[in-house]
Amino acid sequence: MDPHLTWNLYRDVTQLFDYPFMVNAYRAGTIVAVTAAIIGWFMVLRRQTFAGHTFALVSFPGAAGAILIGVSATYGFFAFSICAALVIAAASRSSRGGYIEESAVIGTVQALGLAFGFLFVSLSHRNVSGAQALLFGSLVGITNDQVIQLLAGGLIVLAIVGFIWRPLLFASVDPDVAAARGVPVQVLAVVFLLVLAVAAAEASQVTGSLLVFALLVLPPATAELLVERPGLSLLTAVAIALLVTWLGLAMSYYNDYPIGFHITSLAFGAYLLAQGWRRLPRWTPFARTSV
Amino acid sequence: MGRIRAWRPVSRLLSESAAGREQPAIAEAGSLASRSALLQANTLAVEIRNAAARRGNRLIWSGVSAEIRRGEFLAVLGPNGVGKSTLVKVILGLLPLASGEVRVLGQPPGRANRDIGYLPQRRSFDPGLRVRGVDIVRLGLDGHRWGIPLPGLNRLTERGREEDARVLDAIQLVDAEEFATRPIGEVSGGEQQRLLIAQALIRNPSLLVLDEPLDSLDLPNQAASAALLNRICEERGVTVLMVAHNVNPILSYLDRVIYLARGGSVSGTPEEVITAETLTRLYGTPIEVFRTADGHLVVVGQPEPPHGDVHAHLVS
Ligand SMILES: Nc1ncnc2c1ncn2[C@@H]1O[C@H](COP(=O)(O)OP(=O)(O)OP(=O)(O)O)[C@@H](O)[C@H]1O
Ligand SMILES: [Mg+2]
C-alpha cells in the first residue's frame, strides 16, 4: 500500500477507506472514543485514574496470554481487566481502608499484571513488534469480529452508565449525603470499577495499553477546563475524543508512525489549547444566575 | 419561662434578604403545617430509647435517651470525639445501633431518609472539582433517580420547570445566587456551606439533620444562618437537629439540647441543661453561663471554634 496526501481533500478522505482494515480501524476508533470519553469523565471526577491505568496495563498480559493459547486477543483484554477490577473491588471493600489501602492494592495488581505480560510475551516467542503493538497500539489487524465485540462491550457499558448516571454523579461528588438519601454508594463503586475495566480494555485495543490515558483522561480533563455543566462537559469530552481519534487515524495512515503516538499528541495538544483558553481574560463574567 | 430572645446580628440577615421575595416554591410544595400546630400535636420526630452505639469494637456511647418533638429546634452538644456525628449517623440509619431503640419520623432509622435533609460534618470540596454549585444543589433533589436525564428536557415539562424553580428558590433562600454557577471547588468554605444548606433544604424535608453547619462561617454568617434555620423551623414546621460546638449563635432559638459526654448524656431544655455546673461537668473545663439584663444567655469558656469570638457575644 502506498497512500499519500494530495491537494485534493476529498480524495485524501476517501483514500482513507480504500482498505478494509482502515474501515475497521475507524469503526473501532469511534466506538472506543465514545466509550472511553464517557467513562473517563467519571473516572477523572472520582479520582480513579490509577485504577483506570492499571486495568489498561493488566489487559496487556491478558492479550499476550490469549495469543499464547491461541484465542482472540480481545477476550484476553477484557478477561484480565475485569478480573483486576473484581480483585480491587473485593480487596478494598473488605479492608474498608479508604483510598490509601485501595491504591496499595491497585499497585500490587498492576505490578503482577505487567510481570505476567512479559512472561507471556517471551513464552510465545513473538517478535518484539508484537508486544509493541499491544503496548502502543496498532492500526492493522482489527477484524470484523473484534469490532462487533468492541461495540457490544461499549453498548453494555454505556447503557449501564446511562442508567446510573445521576446516582453515580451524586455518589462521586457527595458520598455521605448520597448514602443518606438511599443511593447504594458501595454497589455503585463496584459497578463503576467493572465499567471502567471494560472501557480501559477497549481503549487499550486502539491506543495500546500504555497510552490509554490519551482517550480516558485527556478528553475529559480538557472538557472540564472548558465547560462546567456536567452534561455539556461530557458531550464535549466525547467530541474531543472523536476528533483526536479520527485525525490520529488519518495521520497514522499517511505517515506510518504509530497510532498511539498520534492520538496522544493530538489529545495533549487539545489539552494545552484548553489550558491556554482558560487563561485568557474572561469576556463573560460568571455572574449568570440561570439554573 | 418563655423562649430566650434572639440577639440581632449586625450584618444583613439572610432571612431579611429572602423575606422580600415572593413565590417560595419550596414552602408551597411542602406541608405548610405551622410550627405551633406541630408542637401542639405533640408527635415525635425522633425517639431515642436507651440507645448505645459502637464503632469497631469501641463502645462510643450508651444509655442515651431523648425525645424530639416535631417542629422543635434541637442542638446536640459535647466535646470532640464524644460521638455526636455517630449519633447523627445512627439517626440516619448509616450505622447500626448496638442496643436500644431509635425511631425517626415514626419509622426505624433509614426508612424515612427521603424526608430528611442532611448536612454532614466539614465537607469541603476538592478545589479542582469543576461541578457547579447549582448542580450540587440539584443533586439533592434528583440525585437518587435512576435513568438518563435528557439535557434541556427540563424546560419542556411541568415537573422540570417546577424543579428548576425549586433549585432557584433554595439558592435564593441561602442568598447564594452570586456564586451558585461557579464551580463548587472554587468558592469559599462558607459559601460551599450555604450551598449545602440549600441542598439539604431542597426537598422540603420534615427533619433537618445538620452536623456542625456553622463550622466554617464567619460571625455574621453564623448568626445569619442560625436565623435562617430558625425561620425555616418556625415557618415551615421543619424539625431541626443540629450538632454544634459554639452554642451562642443558636442559643436563643433552642427548644431542647442533648449533651453528650464521656460519662453519659443529658437532655432537656436549654434552661435546664445550659448551666455552669452541667457544662463544667460535661466538658471537664470551667465554663460560666451568664444571663444578661434583657434575658440573653451567654456561654463563656467553652471550647471555641478557631475564631475565638467570646467578646462578640458579650456585646450583642
Ligand atoms: N470510621 C470510624 N471507625 C472507628 N471509629 C471511629 C470512626 N469514626 C469515628 N470513630 C470514633 O468514634 C468516636 C466518635 O466519633 P464522632 O465522629 O461521632 O465524634 P464527634 O462527637 O462528632 O466529634 P467532633 O466534635 O470532633 O466532630 C471517636 O472516638 C472516633 O475516634
Ligand atoms: Mg462530629
Side-chain angles (χ1 to χ4, degrees):
Chain A
M1 88 190 176
D2 181 31
H4 52 270
L5 281 171
T6 64
W7 286 108
N8 181 348
L9 202 63
Y10 173 74
R11 180 69 201 117
D12 290 340
V13 173
T14 52
Q15 212 178 195
L16 277 175
F17 302 105
D18 279 351
Y19 298 92
F21 84 88
M22 256 333 260
V23 176
N24 274 349
Y26 264 89
R27 285 179 182 150
T30 305
I31 296 165
V32 165
V34 173
T35 313
I38 292 177
I39 308 301
W41 189 84
F42 274 105
M43 179 186 79
V44 170
L45 182 72
R46 294 172 64 84
R47 288 172 177 51
Q48 291 191 309
T49 47
F50 188 31
H53 196 218
T54 300
F55 296 147
L57 285 186
V58 301
S59 67
F60 156 64
I67 292 166
L68 183 64
I69 61 171
V71 298
S72 159
T74 309
Y75 293 122
F77 275 114
F78 285 128
F80 266 54
S81 144
I82 288 175
C83 281
L86 290 174
V87 169
I88 291 169
S92 37
R93 250 172 87 90
S94 59
S95 67
R96 306 190 109 261
Y99 185 73
I100 294 172
E101 191 88 23
E102 185 180 301
S103 58
V105 173
I106 294 173
T108 312
V109 170
Q110 185 183 104
L112 194 68
L114 274 181
F116 272 100
F118 288 115
L119 176 69
F120 292 156
V121 166
S122 52
L123 279 181
S124 64
H125 300 296
R126 281 166 59 96
N127 50 14
V128 182
S129 78
Q132 235 176 37
L134 293 180
L135 286 174
F136 296 102
S138 152
L139 265 186
V140 288
I142 297 177
T143 62
N144 284 337
D145 281 353
Q146 222 173 332
V147 170
I148 289 171
Q149 286 153 359
L150 286 176
L151 183 65
L155 286 180
I156 291 171
V157 158
L158 292 184
I160 293 174
V161 167
F163 182 66
I164 65 175
W165 154 262
R166 267 177 304 193
L168 183 62
L169 185 63
F170 201 4
S172 305
V173 298
D174 214 345
D176 291 334
V177 180
R181 180 59 58 71
V183 172
V185 177
Q186 300 280 339
V187 177
L188 283 179
V190 175
V191 170
F192 184 73
L193 273 182
L194 288 170
V195 161
L196 179 58
V198 173
E202 296 220 325
S204 305
Q205 296 174 54
V206 169
T207 61
S209 287
L210 283 180
L211 296 176
V212 281
F213 274 8
L215 289 179
L216 267 178
V217 170
L218 283 169
T222 310
E224 245 195 355
L225 292 175
L226 300 174
V227 274
E228 282 109 26
R229 265 166 220 256
L232 212 58
S233 159
L234 198 74
L235 291 179
T236 312
V238 171
I240 294 169
L242 280 174
L243 212 67
V244 300
T245 308
W246 288 342
L247 265 177
L249 282 167
M251 288 164 70
S252 172
Y253 179 68
Y254 282 114
N255 70 10
D256 251 358
Y257 293 138
I259 170 72
F261 164 75
H262 284 298
I263 293 184
T264 308
S265 37
L266 282 171
F268 180 65
Y271 181 77
L272 278 189
L273 280 181
Q275 281 284 7
W277 163 259
R278 267 198 82 192
R279 277 162 179 67
L280 284 179
R282 282 225 163 249
W283 300 96
T284 49
F286 273 120
R288 294 168 305 146
T289 46
S290 70
V291 177
Chain B
M1 68 165 276
R3 282 162 60 75
I4 312 155
R5 267 186 38 225
W7 60 282
R8 288 282 148 231
V10 263
S11 77
R12 182 170 64 131
L13 281 180
L14 287 178
S15 54
E16 283 164 5
S17 73
R21 293 192 187 93
E22 71 288 271
Q23 183 256 337
I26 292 183
E28 268 168 7
S31 58
L32 265 174
S34 82
R35 180 166 178 273
S36 50
L38 271 174
L39 286 174
Q40 221 130 55
N42 207 8
T43 50
L44 292 181
V46 181
E47 222 182 321
I48 305 169
R49 276 211 199 111
N50 201 15
R54 275 176 195 287
R55 292 195 111 155
N57 295 325
R58 278 183 51 216
L59 188 66
I60 306 295
W61 37 253
S62 60
V64 172
S65 294
E67 287 186 345
I68 306 163
R69 289 191 299 162
R70 283 193 192 239
E72 277 185 334
F73 194 125
L74 169 135
V76 178
L77 307 170
N80 285 129
V82 80
K84 302 182 296 294
S85 303
T86 305
L87 179 64
V88 163
K89 289 192 173 139
V90 163
I91 288 173
L92 290 166
L94 298 175
L95 276 179
L97 266 183
S99 68
E101 198 198 0
V102 171
R103 291 188 75 77
V104 181
L105 301 174
Q107 300 189 56
R111 291 281 173 73
N113 277 13
R114 299 246 156 128
D115 207 12
I116 300 176
Y118 172 43
L119 184 103
Q121 183 173 11
R122 228 172 279 125
R123 266 180 310 167
S124 59
F125 291 96
D126 185 305
L129 184 61
R130 308 254 312 149
V131 174
R132 299 172 309 162
V134 281
D135 301 319
I136 301 279
V137 174
R138 185 166 205 117
L139 280 174
L141 188 63
D142 64 8
H144 61 281
R145 283 192 210 137
W146 305 100
I148 304 179
L150 290 179
L153 204 67
N154 264 326
R155 262 149 263 156
L156 301 180
T157 64
E158 185 63 34
R159 186 189 183 185
R161 277 194 299 271
E162 192 225 299
E163 288 184 354
D164 281 350
R166 270 196 188 203
V167 173
L168 193 62
D169 184 55
I171 288 172
Q172 286 175 342
L173 194 63
V174 298
D175 218 5
E177 295 106 306
E178 256 172 65
F179 44 83
T181 48
R182 276 166 44 197
I184 189 119
E186 289 173 15
V187 303
S188 81
E191 289 168 343
Q192 288 181 10
Q193 200 76 324
R194 271 148 75 186
L195 286 165
L196 291 174
I197 292 178
Q199 187 202 48
L201 281 172
I202 194 163
R203 284 176 65 85
N204 198 18
S206 9
L207 173 63
L208 264 181
V209 177
L210 311 159
D211 201 341
E212 304 198 20
L214 307 182
D215 202 41
S216 49
L217 303 181
D218 58 19
L219 259 195
N221 270 313
Q222 282 188 13
S225 297
L228 168 72
L229 291 170
N230 180 58
R231 198 163 60 81
I232 289 159
C233 175
E234 268 179 1
E235 287 173 7
R236 300 181 183 184
V238 178
T239 313
V240 178
L241 185 156
M242 176 168 170
V243 176
H245 264 143
N246 182 2
V247 69
N248 283 320
I250 49 171
L251 196 50
S252 49
Y253 307 125
L254 290 178
D255 298 304
R256 188 174 291 274
V257 171
I258 299 179
Y259 250 104
L260 285 179
R262 308 256 176 245
S265 75
V266 184
S267 131
T269 63
E271 293 82 4
E272 290 161 11
V273 179
I274 302 185
T275 61
E277 301 89 274
T278 322
L279 295 192
T280 303
R281 181 165 54 80
L282 289 168
Y283 272 107
T285 103
I287 288 176
E288 289 185 80
V289 178
F290 297 109
R291 191 173 296 273
T292 57
D294 54 351
H296 296 196
L297 274 182
V298 179
V299 178
V300 181
Q302 68 170 327
E304 288 281 349
H307 322 296
D309 40 34
V310 178
H311 299 295
H313 296 298
L314 287 174
V315 296
S316 66

